[in-house]
Amino acid sequence: MKISTEKYPLLSQIDSPNDVRNLPESQLKKLADEIRNFLVDVTSKIGGHFAGGLGTVELTIALHYVFDTPNDRIVWDIGHQAYPHKVLTGRRDQMDTIRKHGGISGFLKRRESEYDTFGAGHSSTSVSAALGMAVGMRQVGLSRQTVAIIGDGALTGGMAYEALNNAGNDDADLIVVLNDNDMSISPNVGAVSHYLSRILSGRAYTMARGGARTVLGTFPPSVLRYAERAEGLLKGMVLPSTFFEEMGFYYIGPVDGHDVDTLVETLQNLKDMKGPRFLHIATRKGKGYGPAEEDPLAYHGVGSFDPETGEFPPKKKIRTYTNVFSDWLCDMAKVDPKLVAITPAMREGSGLVKFSELYPDRYYDVGIAEQHSLTFTAGIACEGLKPVLAIYSTFLQRAYDQLIHDVSIQDLDVLLAIDRAGFVGADGETHAGVYDLSYMRCVPNMLIMVPADEAECRNMLYTGYLHEGPASVRYPRGNGPGVPENEKMEALPIGKAEIRQQSKSGKLAIMAFGTMVTQAEAIAEELDATVANMRFVKPLDEETVLKLANEHQYLVTIEENVIMGGAGSAINEFLTSQFIFKPMLNVGVPDQHVNQGTQQEQWQEVGLDQEGLLIQINDYLKKVTAQSKDEK
């Protein structure tokens, strides 16, 4: 994307942070305005994460202006707030490719830029990573600055506190910047968030600030600059910084995160200090774009929109798996008062908005704290309630120990509704839900179900809810093949597959899991294949597997999960245990990370689209047929 030098006279000259550092400080405000307008211009056309980046424009400029990046390390938490960082670090002209296949990532990625010092797709990691860098540099005798930027939403994650505790105790040379905008993706929850909100809006603070301004207004201009510093001291007298100072940090703040001059001066002062330093800045998510300021949640991640009005084009009404879960949850709650729902900060994404409005006393958002969410859910189950944890596949990875130790070992009655299973499109490899079948099926006591369509998803949720013990239903992002659900819920027989199509020749049987059932049915006629909708990864329908193995020459498994340790591996292991050695092809996600793109493009990249499946299966049949002839 070629940038207009007339529309963006300053930004068009910025190809690296060094160009920012060569600007006079008086031009930084103008640069901030241009970056903000540029982000509105680009994102309104292509979509992407939006409101978070608008809130960090001045901070990003100040960081690159004060610190010698990339020699000094700037570590961002996630990537939602890092679009301005990408603009200033040589990727301005690629911003129209962001989150697209072959384009730049929407998150931080080390192999994409030397300025992305640490890859970040999940929350609450920045302080840990930055502390590790600071300690590593100290170990080898290097003198560099290390700065971690963490949002107040990320402070709901326990990992952030582990890192802060470690950093204060280590006395490392580290600056932590808290970007406090009272928002994560969903509205923030938790005591720390409420504490920060009280600080910024409390009567003591507003009275002191107002009084300071009244006094400052009487000062002659010649001493006003020094008096403004006195205002900062006054604020420090009424703002409790004890929490962070007790953790071993030198605390400064809150500072206006949209005052670039103050940020530059403050960061320069902090740069000259040693030890753990904590800068608390107050920002507004969506800053500078009216609609995003008014509704930052709606503008967190956007598709294309009208930049003049902020209006989104009308959406096609499609029935997503998340919608299926949302409706099932509310329907189930109607008939069972023991049902409670939990989410780790993904109310909107996981489809819990309607439930939270209808049943607020049975809804719990625990913040960006996946480990806590699972053990919290387990605790609820201990009291005889029926908890449902709605969690993305990629986030469940963060609570794996809790899944084993707190749920499985105790065989607790917990239902996991696992959204975003499989490829997720534009969020790319950090959010891909392609590991859960492998990491869950080795856990004892787990019931694992994979619906082939919307109707089956509803019935599996009901089946898992009635099941006594840990149960999971994993379903993809977006819509399914369009099979309408019945209002009446039906429990499925545990561990039973179904045959969807029957081969005439008995040559080939395809055992497909979840999203791949529709794909398998589409190619079955050309291959003359039997297609089984396996439904359950655990317990496996051993009877059907044996029948298919005995009645067909060749076997194929297909899943939208990594091949290693996945559902296909479960079938291999079972057949081997029965001394049945049939030619078997396991198709799934190979041993590689798959970059962003549409879900269809990601399927194509690994051969899980219809054409790719035909190529893989036909190549396999040719090889095994040729090998059989050679052996004869």
Side-chain angles (χ1 to χ4, degrees):
M1 173 184 176
K2 187 159 178 156
I3 189 170
S4 166
T5 55
E6 291 183 9
K7 193 172 181 181
Y8 304 108
L10 265 183
L11 184 57
S12 61
Q13 301 174 40
I14 305 298
D15 294 316
S16 73
N18 197 49
D19 295 326
V20 178
R21 291 188 280 272
N22 287 332
L23 292 175
E25 193 173 332
S26 60
Q27 289 192 294
L28 297 184
K29 288 181 183 176
K30 168 96 170 117
L31 179 60
D33 290 339
E34 289 192 17
I35 292 175
R36 201 165 264 119
N37 290 334
F38 177 71
L39 289 175
V40 172
D41 192 9
V42 173
T43 313
S44 67
K45 292 182 178 67
I46 64 165
H49 293 114
F50 184 52
L54 293 180
T56 60
V57 171
E58 288 83 5
L59 173 62
T60 306
I61 292 171
L63 286 167
H64 285 296
Y65 191 76
V66 171
F67 295 99
D68 180 25
T69 55
N71 182 56
D72 290 334
R73 307 306 199 202
I74 307 294
V75 185
W76 294 92
D77 210 86
I78 323 184
H80 302 154
Q81 57 186 340
Y83 280 27
H85 164 80
K86 287 178 178 275
V87 170
L88 293 179
T89 53
R91 288 166 280 183
R92 178 198 62 218
D93 295 341
Q94 297 170 274
M95 289 300 289
D96 61 340
T97 72
I98 202 162
R99 292 163 52 87
K100 292 182 180 178
H101 189 256
I104 60 175
S105 172
F107 298 99
L108 286 306
K109 188 176 284 192
R110 281 174 57 87
R111 64 178 176 269
E112 184 178 291
S113 170
E114 62 181 334
Y115 295 95
D116 292 1
T117 58
F118 196 79
H122 288 180
S123 170
S124 312
T125 64
S126 60
V127 182
S128 296
L131 175 60
M133 291 176 189
V135 169
M137 287 184 280
R138 182 180 67 196
Q139 194 77 19
V140 296
L142 289 174
S143 179
R144 289 172 175 161
Q145 297 288 335
T146 309
V147 185
I149 301 93
I150 189 165
D152 55 326
L155 281 184
T156 63
M159 185 175 177
Y161 295 98
E162 295 174 21
L164 289 169
N165 180 61
N166 188 189
N169 182 65
D170 186 87
D171 199 34
D173 278 334
L174 171 69
I175 299 172
V176 175
V177 179
L178 170 60
N179 174 29
D180 184 357
N181 61 22
D182 198 30
M183 281 289 292
S184 55
I185 297 176
S186 296
N188 273 342
V189 298
V192 173
S193 173
H194 295 156
Y195 164 74
L196 295 173
S197 296
R198 286 199 306 273
I199 287 176
L200 295 176
S201 61
R203 188 175 176 189
Y205 170 53
T206 52
M207 285 178 64
R209 188 168 188 176
R213 284 179 172 167
T214 301
V215 173
L216 291 174
T218 66
F219 284 10
S222 59
V223 296
L224 187 59
R225 182 181 172 193
Y226 300 99
E228 285 173 345
R229 293 183 182 176
E231 181 195 3
L233 294 173
L234 238 173
K235 286 190 291 183
M237 293 170 65
V238 297
L239 293 176
S241 57
T242 307
F243 179 79
F244 296 107
E245 289 183 345
E246 285 297 318
M247 296 191 83
F249 283 80
Y250 178 83
Y251 174 92
I252 294 178
V255 170
D256 183 353
H258 299 302
D259 184 340
V260 70
D261 294 333
T262 298
L263 285 173
V264 167
E265 183 178 8
T266 305
L267 289 169
Q268 283 174 336
N269 290 336
L270 286 171
K271 183 179 177 181
D272 294 334
M273 298 169 62
K274 294 290 185 183
R277 291 144 281 167
F278 195 98
L279 173 60
H280 180 182
I281 69 169
T283 63
R284 187 176 180 93
K285 196 169 183 179
K287 173 71 175 176
Y289 186 67
E293 286 191 22
E294 291 172 18
D295 192 355
L297 181 58
Y299 286 85
H300 167 75
V302 297
S304 60
F305 62 92
D306 184 337
E308 298 299 322
T309 64
E311 293 180 356
F312 298 101
K315 283 186 178 179
K316 293 180 184 177
K317 289 188 178 178
I318 58 170
R319 182 79 171 151
T320 67
Y321 280 96
T322 305
N323 297 147
V324 173
F325 167 72
S326 177
D327 289 344
W328 170 81
L329 188 68
C330 293
D331 291 345
M332 196 72 236
K334 260 188 226 174
V335 299
D336 189 354
K338 288 186 175 182
L339 185 150
V340 295
I342 303 99
T343 177
M346 296 305 295
R347 182 186 67 178
E348 287 75 20
S350 291
L352 288 167
V353 173
K354 184 164 68 168
F355 182 90
S356 69
E357 293 168 349
L358 290 174
Y359 303 100
D361 295 337
R362 295 156 67 182
Y363 165 74
Y364 299 93
D365 182 346
V366 301
I368 306 175
E370 294 86 0
Q371 293 171 290
H372 165 61
S373 75
L374 212 64
T375 304
F376 174 75
T377 300
I380 289 175
C382 287
E383 297 307 313
L385 294 169
K386 295 282 286 186
V388 179
L389 175 62
I391 189 167
Y392 288 9
S393 172
T394 185
F395 298 146
L396 181 58
Q397 294 162 192
R398 308 186 89 187
Y400 190 55
D401 178 63
Q402 287 69 29
L403 180 67
I404 297 172
H405 186 275
D406 300 335
V407 174
S408 170
I409 289 177
Q410 303 185 96
D411 199 22
L412 291 173
D413 202 1
V414 167
L415 175 60
L416 303 178
I418 306 172
D419 204 334
R420 270 55 168 188
F423 290 121
V424 294
D427 282 338
E429 65 218 288
T430 58
H431 284 57
V434 295
Y435 308 102
D436 53 83
L437 294 184
S438 299
Y439 68 67
M440 283 199 305
R441 81 172 186 86
C442 63
V443 178
N445 298 326
M446 282 298 303
L447 174 63
I448 307 172
M449 294 173 278
V450 285
D453 54 54
E454 300 91 332
E456 197 165 76
C457 184
R458 179 176 171 88
N459 287 332
M460 284 183 175
L461 288 164
Y462 182 59
T463 304
Y465 187 79
L466 296 182
H467 175 73
E468 292 184 7
S472 64
V473 182
R474 60 104 72 172
Y475 45 90
R477 180 176 191 169
N479 59 304
V483 179
E485 313 103 85
N486 293 322
E487 186 176 346
K488 183 181 178 182
M489 293 174 270
E490 179 184 350
L492 302 177
I494 300 292
K496 290 298 178 184
E498 65 165 356
I499 303 300
R500 288 282 185 99
Q501 293 190 38
Q502 188 70 52
S503 166
K504 294 173 184 173
S505 65
K507 183 177 182 181
L508 177 68
I510 300 175
M511 290 171 274
F513 293 84
T515 52
M516 292 294 106
V517 173
T518 301
Q519 299 283 76
E521 288 182 295
I523 62 174
E525 187 174 347
E526 185 171 341
L527 293 168
D528 183 26
T530 295
V531 175
N533 170 20
M534 295 305 295
R535 286 182 167 171
F536 293 84
V537 175
K538 191 175 183 179
L540 196 63
D541 186 345
E542 296 177 350
E543 184 180 338
T544 294
V545 172
L546 280 173
K547 183 173 170 42
L548 292 172
N550 289 327
E551 294 178 355
H552 296 81
Q553 288 180 270
Y554 308 115
L555 304 176
V556 173
T557 67
I558 312 177
E559 62 193 295
E560 195 174 355
N561 186 83
V562 291
I563 296 169
M564 287 193 287
S569 293
I571 291 175
N572 298 348
E573 291 161 12
F574 169 68
L575 289 175
T576 302
S577 74
Q578 301 301 305
F579 301 98
I580 296 174
F581 305 101
K582 278 281 177 82
M584 170 84 75
L585 172 66
N586 298 133
V587 181
V589 181
D591 188 23
Q592 68 184 72
H593 294 295
V594 179
N595 289 327
Q596 76 272 5
T598 65
Q599 286 170 298
Q600 184 65 29
E601 286 170 334
Q602 291 171 323
W603 280 359
Q604 288 171 349
E605 185 172 332
V606 296
L608 287 178
D609 62 313
Q610 291 174 26
E611 183 182 354
L613 288 171
L614 281 171
I615 290 171
Q616 289 192 75
I617 295 171
N618 280 322
D619 283 351
Y620 162 72
L621 292 174
K622 285 177 187 174
K623 287 176 183 174
V624 294
T625 302
Q627 186 175 349
S628 297
K629 287 179 181 177
D630 290 343
E631 288 173 354
K632 288 178 182 177

